[in-house]
Amino acid sequence: MARDQIGEIKEKIDIVALISSYVSLTKAGRHYKGLCPFHSEKTPSFIVSAELQIFKCFGCGESGDVFSFLEKYEGMEFYEALKFLAEKAGVKLERREAGIVSDKEKVYKINELASKFYQFLLLNHPVGKKALAYLTEKREINEKSLKTFMVGFAPQGRVLSEFLIKRKKLDVSDIEKTGLLISGRSGFFDRFGGRVIFPINDLRGNFIGLSGRILPEYDNGRMGKYINSPETIAYHKSSSLYGVNITKNDIRKAKCAIVTEGELDLISLWQRGITNVVAIKGSALTVEQGKILARMGNEVILALDSDWAGNEAAMRGIKAITETGVDIKVARFSKYKDPDEAARGDIAYFKRSLTKAYGVWDFVIGLAFESTEFQSGSGKSKLSRKIVPILSEISDKIVQDHYVRKVSEKLGVSEESVFEQIENYEKSKTVKSIENTTKKEVEEMRDILERRLLRIYINHDPKLILTGDIRELFKKPLHIQIIGEIEGYLKKNKKFEIMPFSRNLPTELFEGFSNIILTASAEKESLKDSKSIVLEIVKLELRDLQKLISKLEKTDDEKVKSEALEKYALLTKKYSALDLG
Ligand SMILES: [Zn+2]
């Protein structure tokens, strides 16, 4: 990979200008601040640094450079972001970089060609007549919807293979990258046959893959009702959202995404005026999909069959969304089996089910109550085993309190006993790691203190770090390495400046360095704070040594013991000297 080209692009693109075209930023001290585009918030914790050319959110932890911003915000792959920014910066990519880009673009192009071909067969060719009748009569999909979503039909036989290889004279090796054909003993077969075809696009409308629903007359029960393109360089099922290229603006406008399972559910709703909708192709919302949705609005309404609630993977996706601050709700339309049926049966009823959607925890807890008899003692304990793990998943303590109250009322037990159950459950889950917790906590504390100290000196007087006593305080390898770099820099330059310093840092140090420099609290820190931090670090070391000595008292190894005592005495001396100074 041409690292220098990436560096060149990064130097030419100003991250503040780039991000400003998506997020409104204001200057705050050395950095720029704004409302985070990756989670929902009311006070800005999203910081962009012109010096370091990176962004970081202190609310949700998203961070990165110009490339990762586009990857995360626009859903671009790295090479797409590279191409996009190279054009913006006027950098001509070397052939190797361009080659990788075009590989993926070839897949998009061939998928698009196939989609258009399949749509032609559906709308204009006798071979698609039955499929068209199925879609328009049985599923009541109108022509506008069919065209907007570019629905098509794949006949049985080697129809697409012939078209792409013989008519379009495409390279077989390129077609293979799409997964549209399967190679067999006697040549290539079409992956999709006897199926209605739904092209799958990404946010920007690239044709990343295809999905096919079997036409009822070919359904012998032995093949999957739905099949998709296999995982390719362009298609990753877990992060794709069907329909999003068409519906994204309506989702952003409504700040709310309605999530359905299948393509036909989505089209049915869209056709009836509910246009802020995506389909996840199955009942398990993945963490990746959840994050994309969280970026587009602050509300997600699930319009799924209710079996997702028992699905562990789906619950992980739900949890991932709730942690981004997005409000996630569940629509219940129990009169009908799926959103398509509900929308066709009674659109007003379906719309009501959306406005009356339940909070996700209400729904999941309600479902547990509905499916369990809980009047008897054994019933209560059975229900508790179901509900306690759900309650412990709720990370917001205020929300958790609310549900604990509800559950205890319904069960006729005290809130305390429910809390106790949650605590026991969480304890049993963490019992193994608890032994190391205190040591781990001390380590974390030390890391935080060293980082703060390093940041204060870098921002105010980096030369001070290099003096003996101070330098010795740093024990974390990252910090020691950074100090080494500062020393090297100050040998060559009189004045310390963050921008040129950070540009010349080795990549593996840059991330650590920027994490130290970029904090929400840096504005308020001054050189005066360094003294109390130094004291805290020394105290931590003393505490560690004291523990060691009390352990050593049980052993007979005099040499180890005296060494520890000596170190203790030394530190105490240092500590009192610092305290007095
Ligand atoms: Zn954030």
Side-chain angles (χ1 to χ4, degrees), residues 36-41 45-46 57-62:
C36 178
F38 303 117
H39 84 280
S40 156
E41 63 176 8
S45 45
F46 181 76
C57 172
F58 291 93
C60 66
E62 288 287 4

Side-chain angles (χ1 to χ4, degrees), residues 57-104:
C57 172
F58 291 93
C60 66
E62 288 287 4
S63 66
D65 57 16
V66 279
F67 297 105
S68 38
F69 182 81
L70 290 174
E71 284 170 52
K72 282 166 188 159
Y73 191 90
E74 288 279 14
M76 291 187 187
E77 294 286 331
F78 178 75
Y79 288 103
E80 295 169 85
L82 182 69
K83 202 183 153 201
F84 177 84
L85 291 174
E87 258 167 44
K88 229 176 149 75
V91 172
K92 198 167 179 293
L93 288 178
E94 281 162 20
R95 211 179 309 143
R96 217 175 63 177
E97 306 291 353
I100 298 170
V101 175
S102 64
D103 250 2
K104 211 160 144 191

Side-chain angles (χ1 to χ4, degrees), residues 477-546:
L478 170 72
H479 305 155
I480 293 171
Q481 286 175 49
I482 289 174
I483 293 170
E485 294 287 334
I486 293 176
E487 188 178 30
Y489 184 88
L490 284 173
K491 270 182 191 153
K492 284 183 235 146
N493 306 277
K494 264 193 198 137
K495 206 169 161 266
F496 184 86
E497 274 177 291
I498 287 182
M499 179 129 63
F501 172 75
S502 66
R503 269 212 183 129
N504 291 319
L505 275 181
T507 345
E508 67 275 14
L509 285 186
F510 177 79
E511 203 192 324
F513 176 74
S514 52
N515 277 333
I516 291 169
I517 294 301
L518 266 197
T519 72
S521 57
E523 284 170 58
K524 295 174 214 124
E525 291 169 342
S526 78
L527 206 51
K528 269 193 286 180
D529 300 322
S530 63
K531 214 180 96 184
S532 63
I533 300 171
V534 170
L535 281 178
E536 286 300 314
I537 293 178
V538 177
K539 271 190 207 164
L540 277 184
E541 284 188 1
L542 283 173
R543 203 177 315 170
D544 255 14
L545 266 175
Q546 253 163 352

Side-chain angles (χ1 to χ4, degrees), residues 216-248:
E217 64 170 295
Y218 295 117
D219 192 358
N220 56 15
R222 278 185 286 129
M223 288 173 289
K225 203 166 172 185
Y226 280 91
I227 57 169
N228 304 314
S229 294
E231 293 283 314
T232 67
I233 48 170
Y235 181 62
H236 309 287
K237 185 169 188 277
S238 62
S239 61
S240 80
L241 289 166
Y242 175 75
V244 73
N245 56 313
I246 313 264
T247 60
K248 63 181 174 188

